[in-house]
Amino acid sequence: MKFVVKESFGKIGDSDIRKLQASLNVNLPLDYISFLLKNNGGRPKKDTFTTKHDEYSSDVQFFFGITERAIYDLASCYKTFSDRLPSSSFSE
């Protein structure tokens, strides 16, 4: 699925990723690191999608990034919801 992100949370660099991973004691998937370096979260321009066989539709309001806005911040949300994430989401 190809998408365009609008309203990203500003540019970040490799050092920001390393700091985030160290603070959370996780290794982010390489695809997500690439996404963060390119977009750093934000709102998708097209925020609705349908499933593979057009059975259901849903939406994505935003992608987490590295930002001071806690509701959109990956670290803040990880700390809040880490007990609800599958253990395979990140490698520790």
Side-chain angles (χ1 to χ4, degrees):
M1 177 180 202
K2 193 170 184 160
F3 60 91
V4 175
V5 174
K6 61 180 182 174
E7 298 178 45
S8 72
F9 303 120
K11 290 294 249 183
I12 60 168
D14 292 326
S15 63
D16 298 300
I17 300 292
R18 286 190 301 273
K19 183 180 173 183
L20 173 70
Q21 291 182 121
S23 72
L24 299 177
N25 194 32
V26 299
N27 292 310
L28 296 172
L30 294 178
D31 287 347
Y32 198 64
I33 290 173
S34 296
F35 169 75
L36 289 172
L37 290 170
K38 180 178 178 184
N39 299 291
N40 190 24
R43 295 186 185 281
K45 186 172 184 177
K46 182 181 177 189
D47 62 359
T48 58
F49 64 94
T50 57
T51 57
K52 186 175 181 178
H53 300 290
D54 292 326
E55 295 167 343
Y56 306 100
S57 63
S58 190
D59 66 307
V60 175
Q61 294 297 311
F62 64 90
F63 295 102
F64 295 115
I66 298 174
T67 178
E68 293 180 7
R69 298 169 63 188
I71 191 170
Y72 303 118
D73 182 57
L74 181 59
S76 297
C77 292
Y78 178 83
K79 290 172 185 173
T80 301
F81 299 110
S82 63
D83 62 328
R84 300 180 207 175
L85 294 171
S87 59
S88 61
S89 297
F90 303 95
S91 60
E92 296 187 25

